[in-house]
Amino acid sequence: MTVASTLTWRQLRDLDIAGIEEAADGWAGASNRSGSARDRVDSEILAGLKDSQEGEGARAAVRRLDRLSENFHYIHVECGLARTALDGLAHEFNVFQKKLRDALDDAEALKFTVHADGTVSYPSAGEEVGGVKPPGGTVTGSHDLLKPTTDPSLKLTDRNPNRARAQEIADRIARVMRDARTADGDYAEAIRRLRTKPGIDVSDAMWADAHRDSAIARDAAYDYLGKEIPRDLTPAQRKEWWDELGKEEREQYLTLYPREIGSLDGIPAEVRDSANRTYLPLLMGKLEGEGTESAATKLQGLRVIDRKLDEDSEPPMFLLGIGDEGNGRAIVSYGNPDTSKNVSAYVPGLGTALDEDFANNDLERARDTALSAQKYDPSSASIVWLGYDAPQLPAEKWLDNADVMSKSHAAGGAPAYNEFMGGLAATNRHPDPHLTAIGHSYGSLTVGLAAQKSGGIPGADDIILLGSPGVNAERAEELGVGRGHVHVGAAENDPVTKLPSRKETLSGALGLGTGPFGTYLHSKSADIEDDDIWFGKDPASEAFGANRFRVDDGPRPLIDGEGPTPAHSNYFNPEKDPESNANIGAIVADRPDLVTSEEHR
């Protein structure tokens, strides 16, 4: 709730803006020092301790240092919020003060009197009538341009030119005071909220409170900072906007708008990573406070991601996006996508959500891809992109449910994926980077639909489709990169790659189920004469015309005792399917000459 402001025009006129700016600088110094202290704890003390010491004593020291690092992080965020709130207050009130002083100067030049309540008195003036000049008077200002003051008594003095001038000055004062009081109330509430309990343990509740603090501070500073964020521009234009900001402006955006900057395609990867690492504990605190099953599921996934970020992985992790909208959002890169010449972005499929399984398995797939590509070219990075809501059903049921197998989720995710890829192309520092779009399972449909948008996937040189149920296309040429640059991995025992067409599914399968999986079981080999599967032409077919690379056959569905779709999950895995993993890495590293081929279906 906004605090009611009693600010007077005299207080605004005499306000010490320089003093507010000096206070903001003090909080900025505290924020910067705590941020630097955290970096030293993490990169110098903790890293060295983990590498050189073992035993319970070392583990206890690591726990205490982790807590110290978290404390410095919390101080950095809270002091940064105070600094940015005061900066915003100073910036906006500097504008208000100038407008007010200009109005007061105009009143003084005309020998008008501005009263404490903002009314303006003016002297007599104009042509004499009957030896008498039109009398002076007093006017009340209106801050509503559509409803100017219409005091009936003023009609008697219409012949006095000073009345109109006084009214104009009174209206200016009224408008600037309206805006100043609104801002004063907003900033008073934001600053009042920036309090914390004494102690050295930073709890989830404190992060939840910090999340609320930041939301209020963002609202207060919207006119100062928030409305300038280029939400509707292209990734290339966003990069240009960021590049033109000064150091202080960047710090303010990273402090007050970490979620927005961290999710903005076109912002450099290191900046997005920094913003999202700031936002991560705030989001975790928010979810902790919600207490719902959905929030708890997302929180589990974020805790795993947070732990992995602290482990100093190789290749290094970059957190390019997180959010709790829908089923959750998370974008993680292994390797810096701006400095790597070869970059891939993998879209996971059905059943994927921001949860513990995603944070463990899908992140590992991205890491396996990066490590495989780096064997051929060290300048390689790989990303897992959960930037859309994949359809949700238990894995053992989805193949029997025709309703969930629609294009709607993929169609919703395709534009967001294209914008993300456009951001990678805009921020990459190589003159001609090699970008690869990877879609697994239902994610291949998302990639396929993205590729069929006007202009294709921005910057993409190659497309890899893994375990695909079809991409809503009849030929590889429709994906915009040329048929020679569309690559398909389809395991012989992966039923998802052999789903019958919708037409075949409608006919059922001798009571074995009315869904596509029932028809697959009935046909055993799913030998579809026209090469159509659920979402169009089979990408592994000769008719589709893509490059099919060799993968392991994988376990047979149900028969080998590993569930209905075990072969569907092995494509990235260097242990379960080393040939597939090596082929994916070779494609990502732009070494198609090292890919082993497989005959088309």
Side-chain angles (χ1 to χ4, degrees):
M1 181 176 178
T2 301
V3 176
S5 173
T6 59
L7 184 71
T8 68
W9 67 260
R10 287 194 176 98
Q11 289 173 326
L12 176 58
R13 178 196 62 190
D14 300 333
L15 185 64
D16 180 14
I17 303 293
I20 299 175
E21 293 173 336
E22 184 178 343
D25 289 342
W27 285 106
S31 179
N32 292 337
R33 287 192 295 274
S34 58
S36 297
R38 184 196 183 205
D39 290 342
R40 286 196 299 274
V41 170
D42 290 346
S43 62
E44 298 176 17
I45 305 174
L46 263 174
L49 185 62
K50 291 176 181 178
D51 290 341
S52 62
Q53 302 295 320
E54 296 180 356
E56 182 55 37
R59 287 191 289 273
V62 166
R63 288 193 295 269
R64 292 176 66 85
L65 287 168
D66 278 335
R67 184 175 66 178
L68 180 61
S69 174
E70 184 79 351
N71 290 342
F72 280 133
H73 188 190
Y74 183 78
I75 294 169
H76 172 71
V77 170
E78 287 287 311
C79 291
L81 288 175
R83 171 267 183 98
T84 305
L86 289 170
D87 268 335
L89 179 68
H91 174 84
E92 294 198 45
F93 272 73
N94 188 53
V95 175
F96 299 147
Q97 190 179 69
K98 184 179 186 308
K99 289 181 178 180
L100 174 66
R101 287 177 173 176
D102 286 346
L104 295 175
D105 288 344
D106 290 345
E108 183 178 9
L110 293 168
K111 301 189 183 305
F112 295 170
T113 300
V114 179
H115 302 284
D117 61 358
T119 58
V120 178
S121 294
Y122 57 92
S124 62
E127 296 182 6
E128 293 184 359
V129 177
V132 179
K133 285 187 176 182
T138 300
V139 296
T140 301
S142 170
H143 54 67
D144 191 337
L145 293 175
L146 299 179
K147 296 180 180 180
T149 302
T150 55
D151 186 343
S153 66
L154 297 178
K155 295 181 179 178
L156 300 176
T157 60
D158 281 352
R159 297 188 308 276
N160 187 337
N162 284 334
R163 189 200 67 80
R165 297 170 186 165
Q167 187 65 65
E168 187 266 338
I169 291 173
D171 289 346
R172 286 162 58 192
I173 294 173
R175 287 195 294 271
V176 74
M177 291 308 302
R178 173 203 59 191
D179 294 342
R181 286 175 183 136
T182 298
D184 185 37
D186 290 343
Y187 279 105
E189 172 63 11
I191 294 170
R192 184 186 67 81
R193 291 276 314 179
L194 295 176
R195 293 182 294 182
T196 189
K197 296 178 181 179
I200 59 174
D201 285 322
V202 179
S203 64
D204 288 332
M206 292 171 69
W207 280 118
D209 185 65
H211 185 275
R212 291 188 291 269
D213 294 349
S214 65
I216 294 171
R218 282 196 303 275
D219 289 342
Y222 178 79
D223 286 340
Y224 166 50
L225 286 176
K227 69 180 182 181
E228 301 299 328
I229 296 175
R231 297 172 177 85
D232 299 326
L233 297 184
T234 66
Q237 290 170 325
R238 292 168 182 162
K239 180 180 183 300
E240 183 179 353
W241 169 77
W242 182 262
D243 289 344
E244 291 176 352
L245 293 178
K247 181 176 181 293
E248 184 173 325
E249 290 176 300
R250 291 180 180 181
E251 290 176 355
Q252 290 174 339
Y253 277 112
L254 287 172
T255 298
L256 204 55
Y257 292 93
R259 181 182 68 83
E260 289 82 353
I261 299 302
S263 63
L264 208 59
D265 299 317
I267 300 299
E270 290 179 344
V271 176
R272 291 180 70 163
D273 177 66
S274 176
N276 285 312
R277 287 177 189 249
T278 295
Y279 182 53
L280 179 58
L282 297 174
L283 179 58
M284 290 168 64
K286 173 179 179 286
L287 293 172
E288 180 74 28
E290 289 182 2
T292 65
E293 183 178 349
S294 173
T297 298
K298 295 169 186 173
L299 183 59
Q300 287 176 338
L302 290 175
R303 289 198 188 283
V304 175
I305 292 174
D306 185 42
R307 188 189 73 240
K308 288 178 178 289
L309 288 169
D310 287 339
E311 290 175 350
D312 298 325
S313 70
E314 186 58 42
M317 286 176 64
F318 289 80
L319 188 58
L320 303 182
I322 48 170
D324 61 341
E325 56 267 39
N327 295 321
R329 302 287 186 266
I331 307 171
V332 176
S333 178
Y334 283 90
N336 188 333
D338 290 350
T339 59
S340 298
K341 186 178 189 300
N342 308 297
V343 183
S344 68
Y346 141 61
V347 183
L350 182 130
T352 310
L354 178 55
D355 55 19
E356 191 171 0
D357 182 71
F358 166 82
N360 283 316
N361 298 329
D362 289 282
L363 264 66
E364 191 64 20
R365 289 173 176 174
R367 182 172 181 269
D368 286 340
T369 300
L371 290 172
S372 178
Q374 287 181 357
K375 292 178 182 177
Y376 306 109
D377 187 343
S379 184
S380 299
S382 182
I383 299 164
V384 55
W385 182 86
L386 182 59
Y388 79 123
D389 281 328
Q392 301 292 304
L393 271 186
E396 66 272 14
K397 296 181 180 179
W398 75 274
L399 291 173
D400 279 320
N401 190 313
D403 292 334
V404 77
M405 291 296 288
S406 73
K407 295 186 297 185
S408 60
H409 294 276
Y417 182 71
N418 276 348
E419 184 157 301
F420 176 75
M421 293 295 283
L424 293 181
T427 59
N428 193 279
R429 300 175 195 173
H430 291 268
D432 186 23
H434 177 253
L435 303 185
T436 303
I438 304 177
H440 174 243
S441 185
Y442 186 89
S444 69
L445 176 63
T446 305
V447 169
L449 293 179
Q452 293 170 72
K453 294 287 185 182
S454 177
I457 299 174
D461 299 287
D462 285 280
I463 292 175
I464 302 176
L465 307 173
L466 301 167
S468 176
V471 295
N472 201 52
E474 294 297 306
R475 297 180 305 278
E477 290 91 335
E478 297 175 43
L479 303 190
V481 293
R483 62 183 295 172
H485 292 275
V486 179
H487 312 270
V488 176
E492 184 61 28
N493 292 324
D494 182 355
V496 178
T497 70
K498 297 182 177 182
L499 293 179
S501 67
R502 291 170 184 265
K503 181 178 179 180
E504 289 173 312
T505 302
L506 291 175
S507 65
L510 297 179
L512 290 174
T514 58
F517 195 34
T519 305
Y520 168 76
L521 289 175
H522 171 62
S523 62
K524 294 183 181 179
S525 63
D527 184 14
I528 306 168
E529 293 181 1
D530 64 356
D531 295 319
D532 282 346
I533 54 177
W534 192 252
F535 288 118
K537 193 68 67 182
D538 177 6
S541 69
E542 185 174 3
F544 190 77
N547 297 319
R548 186 183 181 193
F549 59 86
R550 192 173 301 167
V551 304
D552 188 81
D553 288 347
R556 293 169 294 177
L558 300 176
I559 298 173
D560 291 334
E562 295 186 35
T565 61
H568 187 60
S569 304
N570 294 344
Y571 295 101
F572 298 90
N573 195 308
E575 296 180 359
K576 294 183 177 181
D577 195 345
E579 189 159 24
S580 175
N581 171 265
N583 283 328
I584 293 170
I587 296 166
V588 170
D590 199 18
R591 292 297 307 274
D593 55 302
L594 300 178
V595 176
T596 57
S597 299
E598 180 70 85
E599 291 184 3
H600 293 109
R601 286 177 177 163

